[in-house]
């Protein structure tokens, strides 16, 4: 398994078919907070997450869905979009609220990264809580060329997504020992992310808080519970997977 890491959606190369050397799997990460929220939404019974980079497209799709079976989740600049049911907090997606419903979601960064690799045959989302479950799924599916895509912040590098990328790669390396699979870091960005994980693996919340986006959330208000949730390593077994274009379901 060869794993490459791209910091943001803007850094992702054009997606070629697998037969022409393109990836057969992609993992999108937005630790603070979109992919953590996606994982917890599905864990708590949401029917699916339908992701949009553009709010206007979200509105059109949501309007076509029965009102009693939908929720709109919108975040811009770390805050909930006015008038939406949800923002981007994993603590808000309780079973009572999201059970059986489709969440139409658009965030500042994470949903753009999902759009960038929508055409990859196997598309998963990862966060620190499900990093080992995601790595296990990649091995079970015999993924050969894996792209891990961070979300960053408006096109810039983000520390916490690189931590998450290193966490997934580290789990894959550890799990690959049993089936005697080799795991290779295919670019320097992946090697750097793996080193970052080794540095912070025992104190993930401090890393999240020190990151520029962590500091941004702190300035916006009390997000202590979100930090604790997003930093909780291996607390979930659920793996969000793209079942159809733009639609993520539990697996």
């Amino acid at each position: 398994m060869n794993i490459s890491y791209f910091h943001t959606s803007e850094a992702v190369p054009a997606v070629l078919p697998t037969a022409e050397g393109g990836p057969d799997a992609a993992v999108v990460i937005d630790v603070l907070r979109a992919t953590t929220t996606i994982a917890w939404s599905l864990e708590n019974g949401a029917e699916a997450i339908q992701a949009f980079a553009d709010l206007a497209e979200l509105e059109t799709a949501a309007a076509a869905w029965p009102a009693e079976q939908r929720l709109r989740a919108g975040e811009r600049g770390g805050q909930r979009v006015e008038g939406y049911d949800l923002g981007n907090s994993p603590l808000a997606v309780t079973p009572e609220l999201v059970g059986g419903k489709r969440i139409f979601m658009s965030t500042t960064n994470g949903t753009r990264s999902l759009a960038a690799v929508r055409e990859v045959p196997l598309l998963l989302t990862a966060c620190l809580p499900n990093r080992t479950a995601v790595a296990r799924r990649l091995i079970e599916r015999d993924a050969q060329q894996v792209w891990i895509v961070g979300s960053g912040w408006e096109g810039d590098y983000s520390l916490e997504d690189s931590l998450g990328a290193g966490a997934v790669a580290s789990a894959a390396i550890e799990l690959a020992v049993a089936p005697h699979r080799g795991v290779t870091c295919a670019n320097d960005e992946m090697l750097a992310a793996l080193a970052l994980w080794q540095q912070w693996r025992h104190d993930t919340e401090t890393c999240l808080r020190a990151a520029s986006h962590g500091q941004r959330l702190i300035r916006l208000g009390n997000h202590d519970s979100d930090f604790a949730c997003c930093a909780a390593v291996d607390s979930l077994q659920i793996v969000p997977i793209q079942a159809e274009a733009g639609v993520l379901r539990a697996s």
Side-chain angles (χ1 to χ4, degrees), residues 157-183:
Y157 172 91
S158 68
L159 188 71
E160 71 277 4
D161 290 346
S162 294
L163 180 74
V168 172
S170 177
I173 291 168
E174 293 164 9
L175 290 170
V177 172
H180 305 291
R181 290 276 307 278
V183 176

Side-chain angles (χ1 to χ4, degrees), residues 8 14 33 40 47 57 66 84 99 135 156-157 192 212 235:
T8 67
R33 294 165 285 170
W40 273 107
E47 178 264 333
E57 293 179 6
Y84 274 48
D156 291 332
Y157 172 91
S212 59
S235 58

Side-chain angles (χ1 to χ4, degrees), residues 70-88:
R70 71 175 186 235
L71 292 168
R72 294 178 306 154
E75 173 267 321
R76 290 294 183 269
Q79 297 181 299
R80 182 172 67 175
V81 174
E82 185 176 355
Y84 274 48
D85 305 293
L86 294 163
N88 193 21

Side-chain angles (χ1 to χ4, degrees), residues 116-139:
V117 287
R118 185 176 292 182
E119 302 304 319
V120 177
L122 175 63
L123 175 56
L124 314 173
T125 67
C127 52
L128 294 178
N130 74 345
R131 63 110 191 187
T132 296
V134 168
R136 184 177 293 112
R137 186 60 51 84
L138 292 171
I139 291 170

Side-chain angles (χ1 to χ4, degrees), residues 21 35 73 79-80 82 104 108 112 118-119 145 153-154 160 164 168-169 171 200 206 211 217-218 226 229-230:
T35 56
Q79 297 181 299
R80 182 172 67 175
E82 185 176 355
F104 295 82
T108 306
R112 293 211 312 262
R118 185 176 292 182
E119 302 304 319
Q145 300 292 335
W153 179 260
E154 296 183 346
E160 71 277 4
V168 172
W200 289 98
T206 297
L217 289 177
I218 289 169
D226 275 2
C229 181
C230 293

Side-chain angles (χ1 to χ4, degrees), residues 124-234:
L124 314 173
T125 67
C127 52
L128 294 178
N130 74 345
R131 63 110 191 187
T132 296
V134 168
R136 184 177 293 112
R137 186 60 51 84
L138 292 171
I139 291 170
E140 290 172 351
R141 293 292 189 94
D142 196 28
Q144 299 296 312
Q145 300 292 335
V146 179
W147 286 4
I148 299 181
V149 182
S151 298
W153 179 260
E154 296 183 346
D156 291 332
Y157 172 91
S158 68
L159 188 71
E160 71 277 4
D161 290 346
S162 294
L163 180 74
V168 172
S170 177
I173 291 168
E174 293 164 9
L175 290 170
V177 172
H180 305 291
R181 290 276 307 278
V183 176
T184 302
C185 294
N187 62 1
D188 287 350
E189 291 86 346
M190 188 68 260
L191 280 168
L194 192 59
L196 183 70
W197 169 249
Q198 295 301 325
Q199 174 69 28
W200 289 98
R201 63 186 303 167
H202 299 301
D203 197 4
T204 53
E205 186 171 341
T206 297
C207 183
L208 268 54
R209 287 177 175 272
S212 59
H213 188 41
Q215 291 294 302
R216 187 178 295 109
L217 289 177
I218 289 169
R219 289 192 297 271
L220 287 172
N222 183 352
H223 287 88
D224 287 351
S225 296
D226 275 2
F227 279 117
C229 181
C230 293
V233 178
D234 290 334

